[in-house]
Amino acid sequence: MATAAAGALGLLWGWLWSERFWLPQNVSWTDLEGPGDGYGYPRARHILSVFPLAAGVFSVRQLFERFIAKPCALHVGIQDSGPYQAQPNAILEKVFISVTKYPDEKRLEGLSKQLDWDVRKIQCWFRHRRNQDKPPTLTKFCESMWRFTFYLCIFCYGVRFLWSSPWFWDTRQCWHSYPYQPLTNGLYYYYIMELAFYWSLMFSQFTDIKRKDFLIMFVHHLATIGLITFSYINNMVRVGTLVMCLHDASDFLLEAAKLANYAKYQRLCDTLFVIFSAIFVVTRLGIYPFWILNTTLFESWEMIGPYPSWWLFNGLLLILQVLHVIWSYLIARIAFKALIRGKVTYPGRIRPRLCTLHSFLTSFLFSMPGGSWTVSSLACI
């Protein structure tokens, strides 16, 4: 029995790391054992270093939120208090938990007769009870400030690193001598830090306040981790850095807009949201397909030719492009409706004012299908 199990595991392991799937023709894992420069060539065992680093990132986040983000939140006037607590009522609590959180008119009238309460009072009770389950604004501000700080720092590092990288200026360099492309220190740190951050988000989901989009974001983080890990093992890290930096370009702007919203700086929030929307559309619908997909589909086909993992990688990137189109459409549609609905007339001019960012993001978040490598910053509001 033990021998059979060992044989089955051996077959599974051999299939999982099949050279025919992962590598171009006439290339073996043995060929990539050479030292190269820096960290040599990307190896699957390098990924193991991510886990202690992710734990370190999570610890830094705890310190950051407590000693930096929280004082900033208090400074801009965000109160260190939870939502208004609904008056305890066993009957209404049972309806809220077991039946509905949004009772219709007929149910409200029935509860009014049963409790001898005014319908408006019952509506207020349900509203307060729903608000109890929402995380406090202070908590949301601290989480967004942490993500804003990380996204901004990693984006700046990515731009600085890529500025001196030849494949940033000529994407054909992504495939020159592939897969014999040594892993430099800067590239290794960039990849591992991004991967560690997403693993830390995966950990924190189980300790943070539980939100209604828990499963969506869990799938999102899992897909992001899978794509980054896949491209690393397959040594498609050069084009991977371009993809990561491109998506990081708008992430920190969204978090900045959320921070302004929590602090009730509405005009700043609206401005940042408009900038975020413009950069999101330009990078996802312009630069991504004509720069990234062009090199992964056409230049790589010409220089290295297709092989099984090449098809899978490009398939995932094409699915990502479909999601970009969907998300951009949702942003444009919801923002347009908010703009029309929220026009405020002032003497001598009309100033279009977006509805609250919270409403927009909530609608957008529940319309998106748990993405990958993209809107990681769209965590629960």
Side-chain angles (χ1 to χ4, degrees):
M1 182 68 72
T3 305
L9 287 175
L11 288 174
L12 178 62
W13 187 258
W15 174 82
L16 184 63
W17 297 108
S18 170
E19 295 172 347
R20 291 188 58 190
F21 172 78
W22 286 99
L23 302 173
Q25 271 189 323
N26 302 321
V27 179
S28 67
W29 293 119
T30 306
D31 297 332
L32 299 177
E33 289 288 353
D37 298 325
Y39 282 83
Y41 300 112
R43 304 294 291 173
R45 60 177 176 267
H46 293 169
I47 302 300
L48 296 177
S49 64
V50 165
F51 298 106
L53 187 58
V57 170
F58 181 74
S59 300
V60 170
R61 172 193 166 178
Q62 301 302 311
L63 296 173
F64 178 90
E65 290 185 359
R66 180 174 180 179
F67 295 107
I68 299 178
K70 185 176 180 179
C72 290
L74 297 175
H75 181 72
V76 298
I78 297 176
Q79 300 299 317
D80 188 7
S81 60
Y84 178 84
Q85 298 293 311
Q87 176 183 344
N89 187 291
I91 295 175
L92 295 180
E93 184 70 22
K94 184 177 181 180
V95 173
F96 183 86
I97 298 296
S98 305
V99 183
T100 178
K101 297 179 180 180
Y102 297 88
D104 55 23
E105 186 176 345
K106 183 178 179 181
R107 190 175 297 278
L108 286 171
E109 290 176 355
L111 290 170
S112 176
K113 293 177 182 178
Q114 184 178 357
L115 296 172
D116 196 23
W117 280 17
D118 183 73
V119 170
R120 184 173 180 80
K121 184 178 179 180
I122 297 175
Q123 289 176 325
C124 288
W125 188 95
F126 273 92
R127 184 173 67 253
H128 291 150
R129 183 62 183 82
R130 288 193 298 268
N131 289 337
Q132 277 183 218
D133 293 340
K134 295 179 180 179
T137 301
L138 179 65
T139 301
K140 295 186 289 186
F141 183 94
C142 292
E143 290 180 2
S144 285
M145 189 169 180
W146 163 248
R147 288 195 295 267
F148 165 78
T149 303
F150 179 85
Y151 290 138
L152 179 60
C153 291
I154 200 68
F155 173 68
C156 292
Y157 177 86
V159 170
R160 182 177 178 275
F161 169 74
L162 288 172
W163 195 264
S164 59
S165 301
W167 60 89
F168 182 72
W169 306 102
D170 178 14
T171 53
R172 295 177 67 87
Q173 291 293 324
C174 291
W175 316 108
H176 181 69
S177 300
Y178 179 86
Y180 304 106
Q181 297 173 340
L183 185 65
T184 64
N185 293 350
L187 200 158
Y188 173 80
Y189 295 143
Y190 189 19
Y191 246 77
I192 294 301
M193 277 306 300
E194 286 269 13
L195 196 53
F197 176 72
Y198 285 109
W199 270 113
S200 74
L201 290 182
M202 186 81 84
F203 299 154
S204 65
Q205 274 203 299
F206 297 95
T207 59
D208 291 341
I209 297 172
K210 292 295 184 293
R211 294 168 175 171
K212 61 181 75 175
D213 73 325
F214 175 87
L215 183 59
I216 293 175
M217 293 313 298
F218 181 82
V219 173
H220 165 262
H221 298 327
L222 197 62
T224 303
I225 289 168
L227 272 169
I228 296 177
T229 303
F230 177 86
S231 63
Y232 185 86
I233 294 174
N234 205 28
N235 201 14
M236 290 186 174
V237 289
R238 292 187 177 184
V239 73
T241 57
L242 299 179
V243 175
M244 290 191 299
C245 189
L246 184 71
H247 288 88
D248 288 337
S250 60
D251 286 349
F252 71 91
L253 288 169
L254 178 58
E255 296 301 331
K258 287 158 67 175
L259 290 173
N261 181 61
Y262 299 145
K264 301 189 184 305
Y265 296 151
Q266 192 61 47
R267 187 171 297 183
L268 175 61
C269 170
D270 295 346
T271 302
L272 289 170
F273 171 68
V274 170
I275 297 172
F276 156 76
S277 301
I279 292 179
F280 186 93
V281 171
V282 168
T283 54
R284 266 62 163 190
L285 300 188
I287 298 176
Y288 181 83
F290 294 105
W291 191 43
I292 300 295
L293 291 183
N294 176 66
T295 191
T296 61
L297 286 171
F298 303 111
E299 292 178 350
S300 66
W301 180 290
E302 176 187 339
M303 297 183 69
I304 64 174
Y307 55 97
S309 65
W310 181 95
W311 287 105
L312 177 59
F313 186 68
N314 278 286
L316 294 172
L317 293 180
L318 287 171
I319 293 173
L320 196 55
Q321 179 58 25
V322 173
L323 296 177
H324 290 164
V325 174
I326 295 172
W327 290 327
S328 297
Y329 167 74
L330 291 172
I331 288 177
R333 187 184 68 175
I334 298 172
F336 178 75
K337 288 182 178 179
L339 188 65
I340 297 301
R341 185 171 58 250
K343 282 186 177 179
V344 180
T345 304
Y346 289 84
R349 73 186 192 277
I350 295 179
R351 183 171 74 88
R353 180 184 181 92
L354 293 179
C355 66
T356 63
L357 187 61
H358 182 279
S359 300
F360 161 74
L361 287 173
T362 301
S363 302
F364 183 35
L365 189 61
F366 287 104
S367 301
M368 79 176 196
S372 55
W373 221 348
T374 53
V375 285
S376 50
S377 60
L378 288 177
C380 179
I381 309 307

